[in-house]
């Protein structure tokens, strides 16, 4: 029997069963089966609302409750599974309930609900659970970045803009700069939860229910914080799903930015870091190779998550109210996003936790590329030279150094004076990486006290979210 035949949810007004081609196209149970436990939770809540409104006796409620719990056990231990002939998770589970309860009692459960309000509720419940899993993985990643920042405290490295040497920074500052976007991703998940935890159950197919079932009871049973306000919006909208896909893609994009640096830093030319054997791979032909595959996969999978998001957005674009079957296409992209992040994050966190930093090389390169030139200009400003002039004087100094193959601190006193009488020998006081970093004490700067503040702020944030 094909989906839509006599054992399905909608066969009776049709003369014959659906074509095999339709059944194959229509079928979603191979991917929506992962929502089974939420479907059963929805049914358990729904029968309470049916009972409260007088559609079930106490005995029927008790018996349906026991039977749904038995069905859940069978789903969990694998003794009940979807069949080739089941169209979707809802149909398969109704079949399962009827197998246990008989058609008389089992047939009562469908009153006052539609697969449209069911699926809109289940996807929210699933994503809410998964958002907790992802948040935990993100917290672990932040912890690793924070620990590395603390372990490598005081190590200077080149800070870059336009990928050119710009100003020296602390390695810890750089690592923490990768932690803050992740902290914001966690905030985004928290904010998203407010919108996600409203229950569409009770919206029916589109226009609401005639049976007087209490949607607040259902929402409370499902652990959701309230109910949606418009039954058409409830069944038609998937912005909550799209927003989740956006946050998931942003997580991956944020990882991909550090991934790119790790790939570059591990090259012989940079030699900033060494990857741990446990978190890098070899080559099948080149015996000497040690490859940053985790970072590359993070970079690659960010593209995949962007695809999940844009695919879903394209599905929603121009879709008229209310439910359309197109909406069945909402699930695979977010399932893929969830699966991808849950396998990617532990590997990425492990790689970052085990990176070994080549401190000597980072320190050696910190002043390269005249990265202390801004310190000269700002020293001049402190001598009351207008910044415009200070910039020009420093530019001349850099140009002199380039022509004579000297570092900034190596320019003799007479030459300094010749470039500008304002450039007294005292300027050399600021021409050290250490002095430069120490002087950047402004809010959020790279000076050690500001970095220590960030570490404790991030630690507090992690502790608060974990509590
Ligand atoms: N499998 C469907 C989906 O994911 C469930 C809702 C079906 N509704 C319908 N009217 N055919 O969207």
């Amino acid at each position: 029997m094909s989906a839509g035949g006599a054992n399905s949810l909608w066969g009776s007004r049709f003369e014959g069963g659906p074509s095999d081609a339709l059944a194959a196209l229509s079928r979603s149970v191979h991917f929506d089966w992962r929502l089974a436990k939420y479907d059963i939770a929805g049914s358990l809540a729904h029968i309470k609302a049916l009972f409260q409104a007088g559609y079930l006796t106490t005995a029927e409620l008790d018996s349906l409750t026991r039977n749904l719990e038995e069905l859940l056990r069978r789903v969990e231990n694998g003794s009940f599974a979807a069949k080739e002939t089941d169209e979707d998770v809802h149909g398969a589970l109704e079949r399962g309930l009827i197998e246990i309860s008989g058609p008389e009692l089992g047939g009562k459960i469908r009153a006052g609900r539609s697969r449209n309000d069911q699926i809109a509720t289940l996807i929210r419940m699933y994503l809410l659970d998964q958002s907790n899993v992802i948040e935990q993985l993100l917290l672990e990643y932040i912890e690793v970045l924070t620990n590395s920042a603390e372990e490598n405290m005081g190590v200077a490295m080149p800070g870059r803009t336009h990928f050119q040497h710009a100003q020296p920074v602390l390695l810890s500052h750089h690592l923490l700069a990768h932690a803050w976007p992740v902290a914001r991703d966690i905030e985004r998940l928290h904010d998203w939860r407010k919108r996600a935890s409203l229950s569409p159950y009770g919206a029916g197919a589109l226009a609401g229910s005639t049976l007087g079932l209490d949607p607040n009871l259902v929402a409370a049973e499902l652990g959701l914080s309230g109910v949606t306000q418009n039954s058409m919006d409830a069944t038609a909208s998937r912005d909550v799903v799209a927003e989740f896909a956006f946050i998931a893609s942003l997580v991956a994009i944020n990882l991909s930015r550090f991934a790119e640096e790790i790939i570059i830093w591990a090259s012989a030319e940079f030699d900033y870091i060494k990857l741990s054997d446990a978190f890098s791979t070899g080559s099948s032909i080149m015996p000497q190779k040690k490859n940053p595959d985790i970072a590359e996969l993070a970079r690659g999978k960010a593209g995949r998550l962007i695809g999940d998001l844009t695919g879903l957005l394209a599905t929603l674009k121009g879709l008229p109210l209310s439910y359309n079957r197109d909406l069945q296409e909402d699930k695979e992209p977010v399932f893929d996003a969830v699966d991808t992040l849950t396998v990617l994050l532990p590997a990425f966190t492990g790689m970052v936790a085990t990176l070994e930093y080549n401190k000597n090389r980072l320190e050696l390169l910190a002043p390269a590329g005249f990265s202390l030139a801004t310190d000269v200009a700002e020293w001049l400003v402190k001598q009351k030279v207008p910044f415009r002039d200070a910039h020009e004087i420093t530019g001349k100094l850099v140009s002199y150094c380039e022509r004579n193959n000297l570092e900034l601190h190596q320019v003799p006193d007479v030459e300094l004076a010749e470039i500008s009488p304002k450039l007294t020998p005292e300027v050399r006081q600021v021409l050290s990486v250490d002095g430069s970093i120490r002087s950047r004490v402004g809010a959020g700067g790279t000076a050690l006290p500001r970095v220590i503040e960030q570490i404790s702020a991030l630690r507090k944030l992690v502790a608060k979210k974990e509590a």
Side-chain angles (χ1 to χ4, degrees):
M1 184 70 56
S2 299
N7 73 350
S8 85
L9 300 179
W10 49 267
S12 65
R13 62 101 65 221
F14 289 83
E15 296 280 317
S19 69
D20 289 347
L22 162 66
L25 173 66
S26 178
R27 195 166 183 266
S28 60
V29 76
H30 53 290
F31 58 81
D32 64 21
W33 187 246
R34 72 165 81 186
L35 301 176
K37 72 169 183 177
Y38 303 104
D39 190 285
I40 294 173
S43 293
L44 281 164
H46 183 62
I47 56 174
K48 291 208 170 112
L50 284 172
F51 167 74
Q52 196 197 47
Y55 298 101
L56 294 175
T57 64
T58 310
E60 286 172 330
L61 174 68
D62 289 348
S63 152
L64 279 171
T65 303
R66 270 196 314 277
N67 295 349
L68 282 166
E69 283 164 0
E70 171 59 19
L71 180 59
L72 179 62
R73 266 191 299 277
R74 291 185 190 181
V75 167
E76 280 170 352
N77 69 25
S79 61
F80 181 81
K83 281 192 197 161
E84 197 52 43
T85 48
D86 289 317
E87 181 185 316
D88 59 23
V89 62
H90 322 292
L93 290 172
E94 177 167 310
R95 176 176 63 75
L97 181 64
I98 287 172
E99 274 172 28
I100 304 173
S101 302
E104 179 77 20
L105 182 60
K108 293 201 167 192
I109 197 173
R110 218 196 302 158
R113 75 176 184 189
S114 154
R115 284 183 291 164
N116 296 356
D117 58 352
Q118 275 184 276
I119 194 64
T121 309
L122 308 193
I123 189 73
R124 287 166 184 248
M125 291 168 70
Y126 169 78
L127 290 178
L128 282 164
D129 274 357
Q130 294 303 317
S131 77
N132 288 323
V133 174
I134 290 168
E135 171 169 351
Q136 191 51 43
L137 295 172
L138 293 176
L139 287 170
E140 282 158 27
Y141 175 48
I142 292 183
E143 251 183 297
V144 156
L145 284 170
T146 314
N147 291 344
S148 304
E150 196 167 61
E151 281 155 26
N152 294 288
M153 197 76 93
V155 178
M157 71 180 287
R160 295 165 191 275
T161 61
H162 310 268
F163 209 64
Q164 309 299 310
H165 283 228
Q167 292 167 352
V169 293
L170 288 181
L171 169 60
S172 306
H173 198 51
H174 189 121
L175 294 172
L176 295 172
H178 283 301
W180 287 108
V182 183
R184 289 193 293 277
D185 289 338
I186 291 174
E187 292 303 331
R188 270 182 267 273
L189 282 175
H190 279 256
D191 190 57
W192 166 84
R193 272 181 210 138
K194 286 187 275 190
R195 288 176 286 286
S197 67
L198 297 180
S199 170
Y201 227 99
L206 75 159
S209 165
T210 64
L211 298 181
L213 310 181
D214 180 6
N216 286 300
L217 185 155
V218 174
E221 286 291 319
L222 298 180
L224 300 173
S225 62
V227 300
T228 50
Q229 302 279 313
N230 179 310
S231 61
M232 293 181 83
D233 171 48
T235 48
S237 65
R238 292 292 184 274
D239 51 281
V240 159
V241 182
E243 191 178 353
F244 180 90
F246 168 71
I247 298 171
S249 66
L250 203 51
V251 166
I253 287 166
N254 285 330
L255 292 189
S256 81
R257 296 186 68 172
F258 193 21
E260 171 74 2
E261 291 181 333
I262 288 169
I263 293 161
I264 294 168
W265 289 359
S267 68
E269 286 78 3
F270 268 76
D271 192 25
Y272 281 10
I273 51 170
K274 224 171 89 186
L275 293 158
S276 142
D277 285 357
F279 291 93
S280 45
T281 47
S283 157
S284 53
I285 177 168
M286 298 166 283
Q288 86 286 7
K289 286 296 286 283
K290 187 161 167 183
N291 294 328
D293 283 26
I294 294 177
E296 293 167 84
L297 285 166
R299 198 173 52 181
K301 286 186 190 294
R304 176 181 177 136
L305 271 96
I306 293 168
D308 290 332
L309 170 65
T310 51
L312 177 53
L313 291 174
T315 299
L316 298 179
K317 181 188 174 297
L319 209 57
L321 294 179
S322 52
Y323 178 84
N324 298 272
R325 195 63 185 277
D326 314 41
L327 290 174
Q328 181 164 297
E329 295 296 311
D330 67 341
K331 279 170 281 302
E332 283 163 295
V334 274
F335 291 172
D336 183 68
V338 164
D339 294 346
T340 303
L341 284 187
T342 45
V343 65
L344 173 62
L345 279 164
F348 199 83
T349 299
M351 171 186 66
V352 172
T354 52
L355 287 179
E356 253 178 66
Y357 295 90
N358 186 345
K359 296 181 188 169
N360 292 338
R361 181 146 175 90
L362 288 165
E363 295 263 354
L364 180 79
L365 290 172
F370 307 113
S371 68
L372 297 170
T374 318
D375 297 272
V376 174
E378 288 182 354
W379 178 84
L380 284 166
V381 168
K382 286 180 191 154
Q383 317 310 309
K384 308 282 181 256
V385 178
F387 188 76
R388 205 184 136 76
D389 300 333
H391 191 284
E392 196 176 314
I393 293 166
T394 312
K396 284 188 182 144
L397 175 64
V398 168
S399 149
Y400 175 87
C401 287
E402 266 179 348
R403 273 180 279 116
N404 295 281
N405 206 14
L406 293 174
E407 292 298 331
L408 294 171
H409 68 271
Q410 293 171 327
V411 180
D413 291 358
V414 276
E415 305 297 343
L416 283 177
E418 201 156 290
I419 293 164
S420 164
K422 302 285 185 190
L423 276 180
T424 60
E426 282 71 47
V427 71
R428 292 204 193 86
Q429 287 163 5
V430 299
L431 284 176
S432 76
V433 166
D434 190 47
S436 168
I437 287 176
R438 240 180 312 118
S439 66
R440 300 200 178 268
V441 284
T446 193
L448 201 57
R450 296 294 88 84
V451 171
I452 291 169
E453 274 168 15
Q454 292 178 59
I455 291 177
S456 69
L458 283 165
R459 288 241 159 95
K460 260 191 216 130
L461 187 143
V462 170
K464 198 174 132 206
K465 299 289 184 216
E466 264 167 1

